[in-house]
Amino acid sequence: MALEVGLLDHLRAVVAAGRESDLRIFFVPHRRWEPGDYDGWDHPNPTQRKIQEAHHFARGSWGGEFHLDFQPQPGDVIAHEHWGSSGFANTDLDLLLKQHGITHVVVVGLLANTCIEATARFAMELGYHVTLVRDATAAFKPEMMHAAHELNGPTYAHRITTTEELLQVLKNSG
C-alpha cells in the first residue's frame, strides 16, 4: 500500500512543510530489536513474537534505523522507543509534547492500522487534537487502510485529511 498512496513522497512533503512552518518534528521509533528482547516475557503479542523470531527492526539493520530521507535534524525530538503499538505507552512522548507546549498532533508513518492508530487514539485519550493524513500512512492491505481511516479513525481523530490538504493549511497559516 505504500507505493499505491505515494507514501515516501507524501512523508517527505509533510516533514518539509512542517519544518518550513517552524513546527516541531517528533520521531516516535519502534523498539529496535536486540538479542534477548522478549525472552522470558509472559505475554508477548503476535507482532512481538514475529520480531523475536525474524529480528524485524534489528538495531543497525535496514528496518532498525531511520530512513535516509527522515534523519532527525537539530530541533527535532526523539521519543523513547515503544515496545508495542502505541508511541505513548511506556515512553516519554506525552512528557515531551507537553514540555514543548504541543496541543495538536499530526500523525504520519507506519503502519496505519497498528502503530499510527494506537498512537493517535492514545493522543486523543490524553487530550491532544489529532490529525491523520491518509496518504502519509500505509498498511499491508487495502482493508487495513480502510479500517484505519474510514472505520476507526473517525471515532478518535479530529481531522482526517490528505497531504495536499494539509500542505495547503500549513501554507495558509504561515
Side-chain angles (χ1 to χ4, degrees), residues 28-29 79-83 86-96:
V28 187
H80 289 156
E81 297 173 351
H82 60 97
W83 288 80
S86 174
F88 284 97
N90 303 306
T91 75
D92 57 349
L93 181 58
D94 185 43
L95 172 71
L96 293 170

Side-chain angles (χ1 to χ4, degrees), residues 1-12 62 67 110-111 134-142 145:
M1 290 300 311
L3 293 176
E4 290 85 347
V5 299
L7 176 69
L8 289 177
D9 287 338
H10 290 140
L11 287 174
R12 287 180 192 107
W62 176 84
H67 186 284
L110 297 165
L111 288 168
R134 62 176 82 243
D135 57 0
T137 64
F140 289 116
K141 298 177 182 178
M145 290 286 281

Side-chain angles (χ1 to χ4, degrees), residues 52-69:
Q52 184 179 28
E53 293 167 9
H55 307 162
H56 300 302
F57 309 115
R59 189 175 302 278
S61 73
W62 176 84
E65 300 302 324
F66 290 109
H67 186 284
L68 289 176
D69 293 347

